[in-house]
Structures are given as C-alpha cells and as structure tokens.
mmCIF file of all heavy atoms in Angstrom:
data_model
loop_
_atom_site.group_PDB
_atom_site.id
_atom_site.type_symbol
_atom_site.label_atom_id
_atom_site.label_comp_id
_atom_site.label_asym_id
_atom_site.label_seq_id
_atom_site.Cartn_x
_atom_site.Cartn_y
_atom_site.Cartn_z
ATOM 1 N N ARG A 1 17.895 -3.026 7.147
ATOM 2 C CA ARG A 1 16.677 -2.152 7.388
ATOM 3 C C ARG A 1 15.993 -1.882 6.116
ATOM 4 O O ARG A 1 14.710 -1.811 6.196
ATOM 5 C CB ARG A 1 17.208 -0.760 7.915
ATOM 6 C CG ARG A 1 17.814 -0.841 9.311
ATOM 7 C CD ARG A 1 18.414 0.568 9.763
ATOM 8 N NE ARG A 1 17.266 1.402 10.018
ATOM 9 C CZ ARG A 1 17.249 2.744 9.616
ATOM 10 N NH1 ARG A 1 18.106 3.235 8.847
ATOM 11 N NH2 ARG A 1 16.164 3.435 9.977
ATOM 12 N N ASP A 2 16.597 -1.704 5.027
ATOM 13 C CA ASP A 2 15.844 -1.616 3.742
ATOM 14 C C ASP A 2 15.617 -2.939 3.041
ATOM 15 O O ASP A 2 14.588 -3.128 2.287
ATOM 16 C CB ASP A 2 16.624 -0.606 2.770
ATOM 17 C CG ASP A 2 16.477 0.729 3.225
ATOM 18 O OD1 ASP A 2 15.499 1.141 3.641
ATOM 19 O OD2 ASP A 2 17.660 1.430 3.218
ATOM 20 N N TYR A 3 16.625 -3.908 3.187
ATOM 21 C CA TYR A 3 16.449 -5.168 2.518
ATOM 22 C C TYR A 3 15.226 -5.951 2.977
ATOM 23 O O TYR A 3 14.528 -6.609 2.171
ATOM 24 C CB TYR A 3 17.787 -5.871 2.759
ATOM 25 C CG TYR A 3 17.752 -7.368 2.178
ATOM 26 C CD1 TYR A 3 17.947 -7.582 0.880
ATOM 27 C CD2 TYR A 3 17.423 -8.511 3.095
ATOM 28 C CE1 TYR A 3 17.954 -8.861 0.313
ATOM 29 C CE2 TYR A 3 17.450 -9.769 2.539
ATOM 30 C CZ TYR A 3 17.697 -9.940 1.262
ATOM 31 O OH TYR A 3 17.634 -11.199 0.678
ATOM 32 N N LEU A 4 14.982 -5.960 4.214
ATOM 33 C CA LEU A 4 13.924 -6.754 4.822
ATOM 34 C C LEU A 4 12.539 -6.146 4.593
ATOM 35 O O LEU A 4 11.429 -6.833 4.711
ATOM 36 C CB LEU A 4 14.068 -6.977 6.403
ATOM 37 C CG LEU A 4 15.151 -7.995 6.715
ATOM 38 C CD1 LEU A 4 15.229 -8.040 8.156
ATOM 39 C CD2 LEU A 4 14.827 -9.308 6.161
ATOM 40 N N ARG A 5 12.453 -4.850 4.324
ATOM 41 C CA ARG A 5 11.271 -4.164 4.178
ATOM 42 C C ARG A 5 10.372 -4.784 3.048
ATOM 43 O O ARG A 5 10.822 -4.833 1.955
ATOM 44 C CB ARG A 5 11.441 -2.623 3.929
ATOM 45 C CG ARG A 5 10.235 -1.784 4.029
ATOM 46 C CD ARG A 5 10.503 -0.367 4.043
ATOM 47 N NE ARG A 5 11.543 0.096 2.963
ATOM 48 C CZ ARG A 5 12.048 1.272 2.899
ATOM 49 N NH1 ARG A 5 11.779 2.257 3.762
ATOM 50 N NH2 ARG A 5 12.860 1.573 1.896
ATOM 51 N N GLY A 6 9.174 -5.153 3.329
ATOM 52 C CA GLY A 6 8.308 -5.726 2.348
ATOM 53 C C GLY A 6 8.519 -7.227 2.053
ATOM 54 O O GLY A 6 7.747 -7.785 1.263
ATOM 55 N N SER A 7 9.617 -7.883 2.752
ATOM 56 C CA SER A 7 9.776 -9.295 2.493
ATOM 57 C C SER A 7 9.006 -10.107 3.439
ATOM 58 O O SER A 7 8.473 -9.618 4.535
ATOM 59 C CB SER A 7 11.245 -9.570 2.640
ATOM 60 O OG SER A 7 11.751 -9.242 3.925
ATOM 61 N N GLY A 8 8.889 -11.490 3.083
ATOM 62 C CA GLY A 8 8.016 -12.344 3.990
ATOM 63 C C GLY A 8 8.578 -12.485 5.313
ATOM 64 O O GLY A 8 9.783 -12.772 5.509
ATOM 65 N N GLY A 9 7.745 -12.465 6.286
ATOM 66 C CA GLY A 9 8.150 -12.728 7.643
ATOM 67 C C GLY A 9 9.222 -11.771 8.198
ATOM 68 O O GLY A 9 10.115 -12.055 8.993
ATOM 69 N N ALA A 10 9.201 -10.445 7.650
ATOM 70 C CA ALA A 10 10.296 -9.507 7.961
ATOM 71 C C ALA A 10 10.371 -9.237 9.427
ATOM 72 O O ALA A 10 11.585 -9.224 9.980
ATOM 73 C CB ALA A 10 10.071 -8.184 7.254
ATOM 74 N N ARG A 11 9.334 -9.075 10.158
ATOM 75 C CA ARG A 11 9.441 -8.740 11.578
ATOM 76 C C ARG A 11 9.986 -9.865 12.387
ATOM 77 O O ARG A 11 10.800 -9.715 13.306
ATOM 78 C CB ARG A 11 8.011 -8.352 12.053
ATOM 79 C CG ARG A 11 7.565 -6.990 11.660
ATOM 80 C CD ARG A 11 6.325 -6.600 12.404
ATOM 81 N NE ARG A 11 5.172 -7.406 11.967
ATOM 82 C CZ ARG A 11 4.022 -7.536 12.697
ATOM 83 N NH1 ARG A 11 3.937 -7.167 13.920
ATOM 84 N NH2 ARG A 11 3.043 -8.336 12.262
ATOM 85 N N ALA A 12 9.542 -11.107 12.082
ATOM 86 C CA ALA A 12 10.091 -12.157 12.746
ATOM 87 C C ALA A 12 11.629 -12.371 12.504
ATOM 88 O O ALA A 12 12.416 -12.736 13.407
ATOM 89 C CB ALA A 12 9.379 -13.482 12.432
ATOM 90 N N VAL A 13 11.965 -12.238 11.139
ATOM 91 C CA VAL A 13 13.465 -12.308 10.814
ATOM 92 C C VAL A 13 14.234 -11.281 11.449
ATOM 93 O O VAL A 13 15.405 -11.598 11.962
ATOM 94 C CB VAL A 13 13.555 -12.255 9.251
ATOM 95 C CG1 VAL A 13 14.974 -12.172 8.927
ATOM 96 C CG2 VAL A 13 12.901 -13.475 8.603
ATOM 97 N N GLY A 14 13.711 -10.037 11.606
ATOM 98 C CA GLY A 14 14.435 -8.989 12.353
ATOM 99 C C GLY A 14 14.671 -9.316 13.769
ATOM 100 O O GLY A 14 15.792 -9.088 14.279
ATOM 101 N N ALA A 15 13.672 -9.830 14.433
ATOM 102 C CA ALA A 15 13.805 -10.281 15.866
ATOM 103 C C ALA A 15 14.813 -11.382 16.005
ATOM 104 O O ALA A 15 15.653 -11.378 16.876
ATOM 105 C CB ALA A 15 12.482 -10.592 16.445
ATOM 106 N N LEU A 16 14.680 -12.394 15.067
ATOM 107 C CA LEU A 16 15.609 -13.511 15.138
ATOM 108 C C LEU A 16 17.075 -13.132 14.813
ATOM 109 O O LEU A 16 17.994 -13.797 15.278
ATOM 110 C CB LEU A 16 15.186 -14.648 14.160
ATOM 111 C CG LEU A 16 13.867 -15.392 14.548
ATOM 112 C CD1 LEU A 16 13.363 -16.270 13.483
ATOM 113 C CD2 LEU A 16 14.221 -16.244 15.869
ATOM 114 N N THR A 17 17.174 -12.009 14.044
ATOM 115 C CA THR A 17 18.594 -11.533 13.745
ATOM 116 C C THR A 17 19.219 -11.129 15.072
ATOM 117 O O THR A 17 20.439 -11.413 15.320
ATOM 118 C CB THR A 17 18.562 -10.412 12.749
ATOM 119 O OG1 THR A 17 18.012 -10.851 11.454
ATOM 120 C CG2 THR A 17 19.935 -9.841 12.503
ATOM 121 N N ALA A 18 18.444 -10.374 15.937
ATOM 122 C CA ALA A 18 19.008 -9.993 17.187
ATOM 123 C C ALA A 18 19.329 -11.181 18.105
ATOM 124 O O ALA A 18 20.325 -11.252 18.819
ATOM 125 C CB ALA A 18 18.084 -9.109 17.986
ATOM 126 N N ALA A 19 18.506 -12.127 18.016
ATOM 127 C CA ALA A 19 18.691 -13.421 18.834
ATOM 128 C C ALA A 19 19.942 -14.083 18.370
ATOM 129 O O ALA A 19 20.755 -14.650 19.165
ATOM 130 C CB ALA A 19 17.492 -14.312 18.775
ATOM 131 N N PHE A 20 20.215 -14.145 17.054
ATOM 132 C CA PHE A 20 21.416 -14.744 16.452
ATOM 133 C C PHE A 20 22.585 -13.961 16.993
ATOM 134 O O PHE A 20 23.629 -14.697 17.349
ATOM 135 C CB PHE A 20 21.211 -14.756 14.952
ATOM 136 C CG PHE A 20 22.395 -15.438 14.239
ATOM 137 C CD1 PHE A 20 22.939 -16.616 14.791
ATOM 138 C CD2 PHE A 20 22.756 -14.924 13.021
ATOM 139 C CE1 PHE A 20 23.974 -17.152 14.096
ATOM 140 C CE2 PHE A 20 23.900 -15.498 12.320
ATOM 141 C CZ PHE A 20 24.493 -16.678 12.881
ATOM 142 N N LEU A 21 22.540 -12.672 16.906
ATOM 143 C CA LEU A 21 23.692 -11.912 17.354
ATOM 144 C C LEU A 21 24.074 -12.053 18.776
ATOM 145 O O LEU A 21 25.124 -12.139 19.288
ATOM 146 C CB LEU A 21 23.498 -10.433 16.996
ATOM 147 C CG LEU A 21 23.557 -10.042 15.481
ATOM 148 C CD1 LEU A 21 23.058 -8.636 15.264
ATOM 149 C CD2 LEU A 21 24.929 -10.314 14.826
ATOM 150 N N LEU A 22 23.020 -12.172 19.675
ATOM 151 C CA LEU A 22 23.169 -12.375 21.055
ATOM 152 C C LEU A 22 23.752 -13.748 21.331
ATOM 153 O O LEU A 22 24.539 -13.882 22.191
ATOM 154 C CB LEU A 22 21.793 -12.266 21.780
ATOM 155 C CG LEU A 22 21.304 -10.830 21.983
ATOM 156 C CD1 LEU A 22 19.903 -10.856 22.501
ATOM 157 C CD2 LEU A 22 22.233 -10.112 23.010
ATOM 158 N N ALA A 23 23.397 -14.778 20.516
ATOM 159 C CA ALA A 23 24.002 -16.062 20.623
ATOM 160 C C ALA A 23 25.387 -16.061 20.385
ATOM 161 O O ALA A 23 26.329 -16.689 20.936
ATOM 162 C CB ALA A 23 23.248 -17.048 19.793
ATOM 163 N N LEU A 24 25.852 -15.421 19.297
ATOM 164 C CA LEU A 24 27.274 -15.190 18.820
ATOM 165 C C LEU A 24 28.062 -14.533 20.023
ATOM 166 O O LEU A 24 29.162 -14.998 20.334
ATOM 167 C CB LEU A 24 27.449 -14.472 17.584
ATOM 168 C CG LEU A 24 26.893 -15.129 16.248
ATOM 169 C CD1 LEU A 24 26.856 -14.119 15.155
ATOM 170 C CD2 LEU A 24 27.580 -16.392 15.973
#
C-alpha cells in the first residue's frame, strides 16, 4: 500500500497483484 505509492505503473501493478493471487 505504501511501497507502490508514487512508483511507475502503480495502479496496473496493484490490479495485477490481485490477479496473481487469484491465480495462486
């Protein structure tokens, strides 16, 4: 939540993180 703030492509990475967890 704090690590991604201000980093490149943060919103897309956050969404893909959920997709990764759903795949697991």
Side-chain angles (χ1 to χ4, degrees):
R1 292 180 71 226
D2 290 315
Y3 175 79
L4 286 178
R5 187 167 51 183
S7 60
R11 285 188 291 156
V13 172
L16 288 169
T17 300
F20 183 38
L21 291 169
L22 282 170
L24 293 170

